[in-house]
Amino acid sequence: MNNNVVILLDLDGTLTLDRNTYSLDLEAISEIRNIQKLGVRVFIVTGNSYPVSRGLATYLGLDGVVAENGCVIYFDEEESLCKEIDSNLVLEFERKFNLKGSWQNRYRRYDFGFYPPDLKDDMISWANYRGLYLKTSGYALHLSYNDKGKEVGVNRLLSLLGVDRKNVIAIGDSLTDIDMMKLAAIKVAVSNADEELKAIANVVTKGSSGEGVKEYISSLANALHGSNKRTC
Ligand SMILES: O=C(O)COP(=O)(O)O
Ligand SMILES: [Mg+2]
């Protein structure tokens, strides 16, 4: 059994049917179930809030989560890793740039989401002047004190897991996945991913979003099946 391979899986735009929907790709989830039977552990690594991410991981039978773009992790225990943003500052940003706050913001403490997702220079300047950082996932703008994004939570998770980086696979679709790719030996971008992510990936799937996840995980399962047969 291969119990030291870890998959870090982005959610929106990766495990979903496409980058313009929140509907999950059920065939990709079925492939995840199969590869977990081979001892591979799968974690959701997302910009979504902790309750949403942990709830989803629980019901999908995944091994844990990194939520709020790296600021909260759950693996056996919950850990918070970033500086909280004062709610008045969140409101000031939302009003100043006439944005719509994510419905999940009431469940967030460190990384807040806003729509539309388009980054503007004046927003970045406003944020940086206050020691804050602004990123876009393509789904939403994200404001936080964490400049390293998902890398912060993934770094902590991997140290808790004690896995070697060579056994870490990361799969994503957007700019906010670039940070976590630094900690993975295999960097997978789905075919409809942002160009900047594809540029640093060492695998680009043929399929888009969930189709790409299904394609990659199915090929990985076949490879692990083959290696398990050889070692029996
Ligand atoms: O929360 C978002 O904006 C997108 O979430 P993701 O990191 O799962 O793509
Ligand atoms: Mg995404």
Side-chain angles (χ1 to χ4, degrees), residues 10-14 19 137 139 150 172-174 176-177:
D10 171 65
L11 178 56
D12 296 355
T14 302
R19 294 190 71 190
S137 66
Y139 278 72
K150 296 183 179 183
D173 74 305
S174 85
T176 55
D177 297 318

Side-chain angles (χ1 to χ4, degrees), residues 17-34:
L17 291 167
D18 204 335
R19 294 190 71 190
N20 56 7
T21 175
Y22 293 101
S23 300
L24 292 176
D25 185 316
L26 301 180
E27 291 182 19
I29 289 163
S30 167
E31 281 304 327
I32 290 167
R33 281 271 153 79
N34 290 337

Side-chain angles (χ1 to χ4, degrees), residues 86-98:
D86 182 289
S87 55
N88 295 320
L89 209 49
V90 174
L91 221 48
E92 183 188 330
F93 177 70
E94 188 174 317
R95 287 179 179 153
K96 178 171 178 58
F97 297 104
N98 194 26

